[in-house]
Amino acid sequence: MVPKSNVESSDGSVVKVYYTILRKIGGETETSPDATYTVGRELGKGDLTVLGARNGSAAYRASSSPRYLRAISTATRQDITAEWRYEGDLSGATGTSFLDTQPWRVIHARTADAATSVLPVHFSGSGTDSASTTGAAAFGALLTLGRPYAWGHRSWGANIDPNLIGNAGFVEISTSPSSMAARHSNGTVSVWGQSNTGGVVTPIPVNIRRVVGNAGAFAAIRDNGTLQAWGSESQGGKLNDAASLVNDADRVVGSGWAFCCRRVGGELVPWGPATHGGELPPALIAQKFKDVMGNFGAFCALRENGTLAAWKDDAFGGVLKNGAETATNVASLGSATSRAFSVITTDRKIIAWGPDTHGGALSEAARLVSDCVEIVATWGAFCARRQNGNVVCWGDPNRGNNFPPAWAAYDFIQVVGTARAFAGLLRDGRVVTWGDPTFGGNSSAVAHLLVGIRAVYANSEAFAAIRDDNVVVTWGIPNGGGTPTSEQQNALNQNMSYEAPGNALSETSAQGKALAIYRRKHETLVVG
């Protein structure tokens, strides 16, 4: 008999099962032929709606982005079990929510009798933590067919080449504070913006599988696992010797002026100024980690055994404190403000460290949380979403830690942050906001439009939401992306789509044919 725990841990995978009969002394041992199964939970029945923004991990302010998509019944708005599968994959995962680790890929979701496909990350935001209200941010967008677009302040990333707008096939837009980099499905990268933040690069990067930004540069992973960087050389735009030798890069994250690469084997290779984490402490050089995260002046990393490491400036959380230094049960890295870090433990509690002014000290309510799902941040405050949909905030009251008590029982699907405000997508499709009113914390002017919302994205100064009818609703600092021109608004409304056309179950598509053939060849083992 196969233990239930083994079956549950195999959810979403393909397994082979066999049995062996041991005869009495002298008898021959008999082994059965292999039986192949795809393992999955029983899918829900009824119409399907997917809610949530795709993971904005390629942006400079990646910690402001949520990472989980949610499947709900269109009729009842309650959770429904769905199968989630990236395009091109023959297997996936089942559940009511899905951790979006590859936001540049179309994600197919299906119930027993309904299906949809969510397009790659729709918007990406630029900007800084400046409190200026004149506009210092922009949005990049992927319109239908993967055509790049931008709006907001032209000096902060909205100055896209008009000749680029009509080109199809782009899968992700990465951002620094004032530049953007659009990656095409063929591995080429097109950039625009300010030269001192990565908006100019020669020659055009090719064979690129991922690009991420920091405060002054971009870093890229090539298809062969090697690295490339451009932008301000003093802010990570030039590889050091160790980074130049990497040929097995798994992922790259940024701090303010540095980058850190995690290699396939778990070793870390940072570069950039030592003051911002660009040099790994000697004691950590040979160690292996499963994840790494940066804020403006430091990095923290998680080992497989549930312990943490951090390095560089103590004023930015570069020294573990508040129990982080002794924790052995950290399950995942949570989020980062500009100067503090947060993580989630295996018992779903929260640990945070860094300056109190930036969320380094938990509130009493945050200390009591024991069902944390994910954490997002502004530049000065954190917001944790719980399993029951309630949220808890802590940090700077002027930058998002002013959540209205009257909303304590609201059921949030996702929360996203600008530099100084939060927006929460509710189960019923409405959006509520809090924090600095100027930076998107006051959405009263567009509240009547914020119904039937599928996803909310942010830059540092404004929010952009996609409705069921694919109308884009924006608010925040007008010149920072909060108020598109009429021409830009029309372009967005006519060319933005949350979902891909067609049906994920259709055998007319290449991946649909492959999935149908695969399922005809394999039985399905249902997890109850």
Side-chain angles (χ1 to χ4, degrees):
M1 178 178 293
V2 180
K4 182 179 179 181
S5 59
N6 288 4
V7 176
E8 291 179 334
S9 65
S10 300
D11 184 21
S13 65
V14 177
V15 299
K16 290 184 178 180
V17 179
Y18 66 92
Y19 61 84
T20 300
I21 299 176
L22 300 177
R23 305 294 183 184
K24 291 183 177 181
I25 297 176
E28 293 185 0
T29 299
E30 180 180 343
T31 301
S32 73
D34 290 343
T36 303
Y37 299 89
T38 57
V39 184
R41 299 182 184 276
E42 185 174 7
L43 300 181
K45 293 179 170 59
D47 289 336
L48 168 68
T49 294
V50 173
L51 297 177
R54 302 296 300 268
N55 185 351
S57 57
Y60 166 42
R61 298 187 58 258
S63 279
S64 70
S65 300
R67 298 178 289 279
Y68 285 88
L69 300 174
R70 185 74 66 86
I72 65 169
S73 163
T74 305
T76 68
R77 308 294 292 189
Q78 296 305 303
D79 289 350
I80 188 169
T81 300
E83 177 192 76
W84 306 83
R85 177 178 58 85
Y86 285 115
E87 182 169 323
D89 290 354
L90 294 178
S91 61
T94 53
T96 59
S97 66
F98 180 75
L99 177 60
D100 184 18
T101 60
Q102 301 181 55
W104 58 91
R105 301 176 67 186
V106 172
I107 181 75
H108 301 302
R110 74 177 186 96
T111 59
D113 45 15
T116 188
S117 301
V118 182
L119 289 168
V121 58
H122 307 85
F123 299 131
S124 188
S126 66
T128 71
D129 63 345
S130 168
S132 170
T133 60
T134 58
F139 281 105
L142 287 181
L143 305 180
T144 52
L145 304 179
R147 294 169 295 151
Y149 192 69
W151 81 95
H153 200 298
R154 290 186 55 81
S155 296
W156 293 86
N159 60 332
I160 185 173
D161 184 343
N163 295 321
L164 189 61
I165 293 175
N167 295 338
F170 288 87
V171 294
E172 188 173 36
I173 296 178
S174 309
T175 61
S176 67
S178 58
S179 296
M180 300 192 182
R183 181 169 59 87
H184 197 277
S185 60
N186 65 11
T188 60
V189 176
S190 300
V191 303
W192 64 92
Q194 302 299 315
S195 59
N196 63 346
T197 58
V200 176
V201 59
T202 305
I204 294 174
V206 296
N207 301 320
I208 301 298
R209 71 168 188 249
R210 195 83 206 277
V211 180
V212 298
N214 72 3
F218 289 103
I221 302 176
R222 298 190 181 97
D223 290 336
N224 63 4
T226 60
L227 298 168
Q228 181 177 352
W230 67 91
S232 171
E233 293 189 359
S234 63
Q235 294 175 282
K238 181 179 180 180
L239 301 178
N240 61 17
D241 291 344
S244 298
L245 296 175
V246 169
N247 60 10
D248 61 350
D250 172 56
R251 64 180 302 234
V252 173
V253 299
S255 67
W257 289 11
F259 291 101
C260 184
C261 168
R262 180 191 179 272
R263 301 176 63 183
V264 171
E267 301 88 351
L268 301 180
V269 180
W271 71 94
T275 53
H276 286 68
E279 291 184 9
L280 196 66
L284 301 181
I285 290 176
Q287 296 187 22
K288 297 183 178 182
F289 298 85
K290 71 174 185 178
D291 202 3
V292 60
M293 173 173 63
N295 62 21
F296 190 79
F299 289 101
C300 74
L302 173 61
R303 300 181 182 92
E304 290 285 353
N305 64 4
T307 62
L308 295 165
W311 65 96
K312 212 40 204 176
D313 200 329
D314 184 19
F316 288 83
V319 176
L320 298 174
K321 296 178 179 180
N322 299 345
E325 70 278 18
T326 57
T328 59
N329 65 335
V330 177
S332 63
L333 301 180
S335 185
T337 62
S338 63
R339 289 175 174 259
F341 292 107
S342 64
V343 298
I344 303 171
T345 66
T346 54
D347 52 3
R348 299 167 77 178
K349 293 183 177 296
I350 303 167
I351 300 174
W353 69 97
D356 294 359
T357 54
H358 289 72
L362 296 178
S363 64
E364 182 61 27
R367 277 193 291 271
L368 295 175
V369 168
S370 59
D371 60 350
C372 182
V373 174
E374 70 174 338
I375 305 170
V376 298
T378 65
W379 275 114
F382 289 104
C383 180
R385 182 173 60 84
R386 300 173 56 192
Q387 183 66 40
N388 62 7
N390 301 161
V391 299
V392 175
C393 300
W394 70 96
D396 185 353
N398 297 315
R399 292 188 282 187
N401 183 25
N402 62 341
F403 183 73
W407 298 349
Y410 280 14
D411 190 351
F412 289 87
I413 297 294
Q414 281 190 343
V415 178
V416 61
T418 63
R420 302 175 65 87
F422 288 111
L425 173 60
L426 300 177
R427 181 179 294 275
D428 62 10
R430 293 180 299 126
V431 173
V432 295
T433 58
W434 65 98
D436 190 322
T438 306
F439 284 72
N442 182 353
S443 55
S444 58
V446 294
H448 63 291
L449 301 175
L450 292 174
V451 293
I453 300 300
R454 302 295 292 277
V456 183
Y457 290 88
N459 65 22
S460 67
E461 299 181 345
F463 293 103
I466 306 173
R467 279 196 334 213
D468 276 327
D469 56 5
N470 292 316
V471 167
V472 176
V473 182
T474 62
W475 67 100
I477 293 179
N479 203 29
T483 306
T485 66
S486 58
E487 179 182 356
Q488 292 167 341
Q489 187 69 61
N490 288 335
L492 291 169
N493 291 347
Q494 294 171 14
N495 297 281
M496 176 52 62
S497 179
Y498 181 76
E499 295 165 317
N503 190 313
L505 299 181
S506 173
E507 292 191 28
T508 60
S509 65
Q511 59 269 38
K513 291 177 182 177
L515 184 61
I517 292 171
Y518 181 84
R519 284 178 174 154
R520 284 194 290 269
K521 288 182 177 180
H522 299 84
E523 298 178 70
T524 299
L525 181 64
V526 176
V527 181

